[in-house]
Amino acid sequence: EVRIQILADLELPENGTILDIGAGCGSIGLEALKLRPNLKLFCIDKSIGSKELISENARRLGVVPKDILEEDINNLISTNNINSLKKASRVIIGGCDKTTKLRIIKELSREMKCGDILAIPLIDIQTIKDLREALKENNFEVNLNLIQTYKSLSISEGIRMDPNNPIFLLRGKKLI
């Protein structure tokens, strides 16, 4: 449910570059590539085995990412190995701590153009304020949505709705 909203918020263009940082299994970036096959997708995740997992999921979906990097985004930034990735027009920032998210916003926002979009799914409400301020300081129009979903659970008298953890979706669209 959250993946669908993130993809909608990204307003995927026909062409361009998309970064999926903290990609996990790659579900968001790979789905974006399935919807827009001309996009260049770069998946980045520091977890051991993530490259193999994302590659397998890409094969199952019939898509081919431009690259899958099994590395910490902080290392890529520190060594300037992110330069080729700074041209991304769509960025998903998940799976990292607040300090790293702030660093990514600072680094990538310098190259982003008017209309480019960052999407940041969050479960930690304390992080929202700092990230929102960082986006505003870097000339992004900011929106925040709360996504709450429920799944049915069988009980003796029928079903009840069992809530999933709420997800906050912070979106920044570059103004200048």
CSV table of all heavy atoms in Angstrom, one decimal, residues 25-27 30-31 33-34 51-65 68:
chain,number,residue,atom,x,y,z
A,25,CYS,N,14.8,-4.7,-0.7
A,25,CYS,CA,14.6,-5.8,-1.8
A,25,CYS,C,14.4,-5.1,-3.1
A,25,CYS,O,14.3,-5.8,-4.1
A,25,CYS,CB,13.5,-6.7,-1.4
A,25,CYS,SG,11.9,-5.9,-1.3
A,26,GLY,N,14.4,-3.8,-3.2
A,26,GLY,CA,14.3,-3.1,-4.4
A,26,GLY,C,12.9,-2.9,-4.9
A,26,GLY,O,12.6,-2.4,-6.0
A,27,SER,N,11.9,-3.2,-4.1
A,27,SER,CA,10.5,-3.2,-4.6
A,27,SER,C,10.0,-1.9,-5.2
A,27,SER,O,9.3,-1.9,-6.2
A,27,SER,CB,9.5,-3.7,-3.5
A,27,SER,OG,9.5,-2.8,-2.4
A,30,LEU,N,12.2,-1.0,-8.5
A,30,LEU,CA,12.0,-2.0,-9.6
A,30,LEU,C,10.6,-1.8,-10.1
A,30,LEU,O,10.3,-1.9,-11.3
A,30,LEU,CB,12.2,-3.4,-9.1
A,30,LEU,CG,13.6,-3.7,-8.7
A,30,LEU,CD1,13.6,-5.1,-8.0
A,30,LEU,CD2,14.5,-3.7,-9.9
A,31,GLU,N,9.6,-1.5,-9.3
A,31,GLU,CA,8.2,-1.2,-9.7
A,31,GLU,C,8.2,0.1,-10.6
A,31,GLU,O,7.5,0.1,-11.6
A,31,GLU,CB,7.3,-1.1,-8.5
A,31,GLU,CG,5.8,-1.0,-8.9
A,31,GLU,CD,5.2,-2.2,-9.5
A,31,GLU,OE1,5.7,-3.3,-9.2
A,31,GLU,OE2,4.3,-2.1,-10.3
A,33,LEU,N,10.6,1.1,-12.4
A,33,LEU,CA,11.2,0.7,-13.7
A,33,LEU,C,10.2,-0.1,-14.5
A,33,LEU,O,10.2,0.1,-15.8
A,33,LEU,CB,12.5,-0.1,-13.4
A,33,LEU,CG,13.4,-0.3,-14.6
A,33,LEU,CD1,13.8,1.0,-15.3
A,33,LEU,CD2,14.7,-1.0,-14.1
A,34,LYS,N,9.4,-0.9,-13.9
A,34,LYS,CA,8.4,-1.6,-14.6
A,34,LYS,C,7.3,-0.7,-15.2
A,34,LYS,O,6.9,-0.9,-16.4
A,34,LYS,CB,7.7,-2.6,-13.6
A,34,LYS,CG,6.7,-3.5,-14.2
A,34,LYS,CD,7.3,-4.7,-14.9
A,34,LYS,CE,6.3,-5.7,-15.3
A,34,LYS,NZ,6.9,-6.7,-16.1
A,51,LYS,N,22.3,-6.9,-3.1
A,51,LYS,CA,22.5,-6.9,-4.6
A,51,LYS,C,21.9,-8.2,-5.2
A,51,LYS,O,21.2,-8.1,-6.2
A,51,LYS,CB,24.0,-6.8,-4.9
A,51,LYS,CG,24.3,-6.6,-6.4
A,51,LYS,CD,25.7,-6.3,-6.7
A,51,LYS,CE,25.9,-6.0,-8.1
A,51,LYS,NZ,27.3,-5.6,-8.4
A,52,GLU,N,22.2,-9.3,-4.6
A,52,GLU,CA,21.7,-10.6,-5.1
A,52,GLU,C,20.1,-10.6,-5.0
A,52,GLU,O,19.5,-11.0,-6.0
A,52,GLU,CB,22.2,-11.7,-4.3
A,52,GLU,CG,21.8,-13.1,-4.8
A,52,GLU,CD,22.5,-14.2,-4.0
A,52,GLU,OE1,23.6,-14.0,-3.4
A,52,GLU,OE2,21.9,-15.3,-4.0
A,53,LEU,N,19.6,-10.1,-3.9
A,53,LEU,CA,18.1,-10.1,-3.7
A,53,LEU,C,17.5,-9.1,-4.8
A,53,LEU,O,16.5,-9.5,-5.4
A,53,LEU,CB,17.8,-9.6,-2.3
A,53,LEU,CG,16.3,-9.5,-2.0
A,53,LEU,CD1,15.6,-10.8,-2.1
A,53,LEU,CD2,16.2,-9.0,-0.5
A,54,ILE,N,18.0,-8.0,-4.9
A,54,ILE,CA,17.4,-7.0,-5.9
A,54,ILE,C,17.6,-7.5,-7.3
A,54,ILE,O,16.6,-7.4,-8.1
A,54,ILE,CB,18.1,-5.6,-5.7
A,54,ILE,CG1,17.8,-5.0,-4.4
A,54,ILE,CG2,17.7,-4.7,-6.9
A,54,ILE,CD1,18.6,-3.8,-4.0
A,55,SER,N,18.7,-8.2,-7.6
A,55,SER,CA,18.9,-8.7,-9.0
A,55,SER,C,17.9,-9.8,-9.2
A,55,SER,O,17.3,-9.9,-10.3
A,55,SER,CB,20.3,-9.3,-9.1
A,55,SER,OG,21.3,-8.3,-9.0
A,56,GLU,N,17.6,-10.7,-8.3
A,56,GLU,CA,16.6,-11.7,-8.4
A,56,GLU,C,15.2,-11.1,-8.6
A,56,GLU,O,14.5,-11.6,-9.5
A,56,GLU,CB,16.7,-12.7,-7.2
A,56,GLU,CG,15.6,-13.8,-7.2
A,56,GLU,CD,15.7,-14.7,-8.4
A,56,GLU,OE1,16.8,-14.9,-9.0
A,56,GLU,OE2,14.6,-15.3,-8.8
A,57,ASN,N,14.9,-10.1,-7.8
A,57,ASN,CA,13.6,-9.5,-7.9
A,57,ASN,C,13.4,-8.8,-9.3
A,57,ASN,O,12.4,-8.8,-9.9
A,57,ASN,CB,13.3,-8.5,-6.8
A,57,ASN,CG,13.0,-9.3,-5.5
A,57,ASN,OD1,12.6,-10.4,-5.5
A,57,ASN,ND2,13.3,-8.6,-4.4
A,58,ALA,N,14.5,-8.2,-9.8
A,58,ALA,CA,14.5,-7.5,-11.1
A,58,ALA,C,14.3,-8.6,-12.2
A,58,ALA,O,13.5,-8.4,-13.1
A,58,ALA,CB,15.8,-6.8,-11.3
A,59,ARG,N,14.9,-9.7,-12.1
A,59,ARG,CA,14.7,-10.8,-13.0
A,59,ARG,C,13.3,-11.2,-13.1
A,59,ARG,O,12.6,-11.4,-14.1
A,59,ARG,CB,15.6,-12.0,-12.7
A,59,ARG,CG,15.6,-13.1,-13.8
A,59,ARG,CD,16.3,-14.3,-13.3
A,59,ARG,NE,15.7,-15.0,-12.2
A,59,ARG,CZ,14.6,-15.6,-12.1
A,59,ARG,NH1,13.9,-15.8,-13.3
A,59,ARG,NH2,14.1,-16.2,-11.0
A,60,ARG,N,12.7,-11.4,-11.9
A,60,ARG,CA,11.3,-11.8,-11.8
A,60,ARG,C,10.3,-10.8,-12.4
A,60,ARG,O,9.3,-11.2,-13.0
A,60,ARG,CB,10.9,-12.1,-10.3
A,60,ARG,CG,11.5,-13.3,-9.7
A,60,ARG,CD,11.0,-13.5,-8.3
A,60,ARG,NE,11.7,-14.6,-7.7
A,60,ARG,CZ,11.9,-14.8,-6.4
A,60,ARG,NH1,11.5,-13.8,-5.6
A,60,ARG,NH2,12.5,-15.9,-6.0
A,61,LEU,N,10.6,-9.6,-12.2
A,61,LEU,CA,9.8,-8.5,-12.8
A,61,LEU,C,10.1,-8.2,-14.3
A,61,LEU,O,9.3,-7.5,-14.9
A,61,LEU,CB,10.0,-7.2,-12.0
A,61,LEU,CG,9.2,-7.1,-10.7
A,61,LEU,CD1,9.5,-5.8,-10.0
A,61,LEU,CD2,7.7,-7.1,-11.0
A,62,GLY,N,11.2,-8.7,-14.8
A,62,GLY,CA,11.6,-8.5,-16.2
A,62,GLY,C,12.1,-7.1,-16.4
A,62,GLY,O,11.9,-6.6,-17.5
A,63,VAL,N,12.8,-6.6,-15.4
A,63,VAL,CA,13.4,-5.2,-15.6
A,63,VAL,C,14.9,-5.3,-15.3
A,63,VAL,O,15.4,-6.3,-14.7
A,63,VAL,CB,12.8,-4.2,-14.7
A,63,VAL,CG1,11.3,-4.0,-15.0
A,63,VAL,CG2,12.9,-4.6,-13.2
A,64,VAL,N,15.6,-4.3,-15.8
A,64,VAL,CA,17.1,-4.3,-15.7
A,64,VAL,C,17.5,-2.9,-15.1
A,64,VAL,O,17.5,-2.0,-15.8
A,64,VAL,CB,17.8,-4.6,-17.0
A,64,VAL,CG1,19.3,-4.6,-16.8
A,64,VAL,CG2,17.4,-5.9,-17.6
A,65,PRO,N,17.9,-2.9,-13.8
A,65,PRO,CA,18.4,-1.6,-13.3
A,65,PRO,C,19.7,-1.3,-13.9
A,65,PRO,O,20.5,-2.1,-14.4
A,65,PRO,CB,18.6,-2.0,-11.8
A,65,PRO,CG,17.9,-3.2,-11.5
A,65,PRO,CD,17.8,-4.0,-12.8
A,68,ILE,N,23.2,-1.8,-9.3
A,68,ILE,CA,22.9,-2.1,-7.9
A,68,ILE,C,24.1,-2.0,-7.1
A,68,ILE,O,25.1,-2.8,-7.4
A,68,ILE,CB,22.2,-3.5,-7.8
A,68,ILE,CG1,21.0,-3.6,-8.8
A,68,ILE,CG2,21.9,-3.8,-6.4
A,68,ILE,CD1,20.5,-5.1,-8.9
